[in-house]
Amino acid sequence: MIENYFDYVNRIQTLIQHRACFPPADEEFKTSPNLVQKCREDGSICPFYGDTVVFQLPKSMKQYLSSIQKSLYQEHGKFLSEILTEESLHITLHDLSASTRKSEITPKIESHDNVIKSFLLSLKDKGTISLVAKGMVSMVASSIVMLFEPVDEQVHNTIQQMYESVDEICPLPYPLTLHCTLAYYKPGTYPPEEWSSLYKSISQWNSQNSDGIRFALDSNMIDYQFFCSMKKYESIVG
C-alpha cells in the first residue's frame, strides 16, 4: 500500500494526537482478543512463531528506548506483560507471517527465505536512514509502541521502496508504520480509573517531546529475522 511522505506524517500525527489510540476517558480498556496468542493472562510471553523484516538498532538508540520502557514498567507494570529485553528492540519495516503453531509457519518461512535471499542486498547500501521518534501510542489494543517518521521526503521514499519490495512477497492490508514495540499489555479488561494513569504518562511524554527525537540508522542494518516469541528474534539472512 503506497503512501506519500505528507500523508504518512499526517497519519502518524493523527494517531498520536487522537488520545494516542486509547479509548475515551470514561470507557473500559479491553485488550485485543488476539493478544493471548503472544502473552498469557499472567503476563508471561508465550511461544509465537513467524518472520519479519526489521531495522536493527544502534546501541545508543536501544538504550534510549529501553530507558523509556523501564519507566513505563516502574510506574505501570501491573498492566504490562513480561518485559522485552533491550537486545530484542527493533523497528519493524514489514511483517511477513505469524502463527501460534511452528509447523504451520515453517513452510511459509522457507518460501520467504528463498526469495528474500535473492534481493536482501538490494535493500542495503542506501546510506543513512534518519528517523524521528514522534511519540508513543497504544497499537491495536495489544502493545505500546514508539512511532517514527522519516526526517524528510527523500528518506521516506527510500524506506517506502524497501517496504514495497517486501510487500510484493507478502502483501499487507495496511500501510508502512515504522514502530518499535516497547511493551505488550497483560491481557484483560481495565476500568478507566486503572488505565487512565498509563494514558496520562504516555500523553505527557508525547507532549514534552512533540518535536521528536532524531536517530540515524545504517541502511545495512536491515535484517530478515525469525521469531519464536515476542522476546526472541534471530537473524536468518546476513
Side-chain angles (χ1 to χ4, degrees):
M1 186 177 294
I2 299 174
E3 187 175 41
N4 67 43
Y5 173 63
F6 301 101
D7 287 343
Y8 179 92
V9 168
N10 287 336
R11 179 168 58 86
I12 296 302
Q13 289 303 311
T14 299
L15 292 174
I16 294 169
Q17 293 169 5
H18 189 65
R19 291 187 54 78
C21 304
F22 280 86
D26 59 348
E27 291 186 7
E28 290 182 329
F29 180 86
K30 297 181 179 180
T31 59
S32 168
N34 294 329
L35 181 58
V36 294
Q37 296 180 345
K38 300 177 179 179
C39 307
R40 301 182 182 92
E41 290 186 3
D42 65 0
S44 58
I45 302 290
C46 51
F48 191 67
Y49 306 95
D51 57 343
T52 183
V53 178
V54 306
F55 286 105
Q56 297 193 59
L57 307 180
K59 185 176 181 179
S60 59
M61 190 172 179
K62 286 184 177 182
Q63 290 174 336
Y64 178 81
L65 294 170
S66 179
S67 68
I68 297 172
Q69 176 198 53
K70 289 173 182 175
S71 294
L72 290 172
Y73 274 86
Q74 288 171 358
E75 298 178 24
H76 312 288
K78 64 181 179 180
F79 303 116
L80 306 176
S81 285
E82 182 181 350
I83 192 167
L84 304 174
T85 65
E86 181 179 310
E87 184 59 32
S88 71
L89 299 179
H90 60 268
I91 292 179
T92 301
L93 174 70
H94 195 298
D95 286 321
L96 293 169
S97 58
S99 175
T100 56
R101 298 173 59 188
K102 188 175 182 179
S103 60
E104 198 174 85
I105 219 70
T106 299
K108 295 181 180 179
I109 292 177
E110 289 176 350
S111 65
H112 295 160
D113 184 39
N114 293 333
V115 177
I116 287 180
K117 279 181 178 177
S118 67
F119 78 85
L120 188 68
L121 286 176
S122 69
L123 301 183
K124 299 186 176 185
D125 294 324
K126 297 184 182 298
T128 300
I129 302 291
S130 295
L131 303 176
V132 180
K134 293 300 295 184
M136 290 180 278
V137 300
S138 176
M139 181 168 273
V140 295
S142 294
S143 60
I144 299 170
V145 305
M146 180 68 74
L147 295 179
F148 293 86
E149 294 176 2
V151 294
D152 56 34
E153 188 172 10
Q154 182 177 351
V155 174
H156 169 82
N157 291 342
T158 297
I159 298 174
Q160 184 69 46
Q161 289 169 7
M162 292 178 172
Y163 178 86
E164 291 171 24
S165 294
V166 183
D167 204 56
E168 290 179 4
I169 299 171
C170 186
L172 293 176
Y174 47 83
L176 167 72
T177 304
L178 296 166
H179 67 276
C180 175
T181 301
L182 300 178
Y184 285 94
Y185 296 118
K186 189 178 293 182
T189 300
Y190 302 98
E193 59 269 22
E194 290 187 5
W195 66 261
S196 61
S197 61
L198 173 60
Y199 165 71
K200 287 176 182 177
S201 292
I202 290 175
S203 180
Q204 183 178 37
W205 191 95
N206 290 347
S207 178
Q208 292 174 345
N209 297 275
S210 59
D211 289 338
I213 312 297
R214 184 167 174 164
F215 295 98
L217 305 183
D218 185 338
S219 60
N220 290 318
M221 296 178 77
I222 196 167
D223 199 17
Y224 174 45
Q225 296 188 339
F226 164 79
F227 54 85
C228 56
S229 75
M230 294 295 92
K231 65 178 182 178
K232 188 171 182 181
Y233 289 73
E234 297 180 359
S235 297
I236 299 178
V237 182

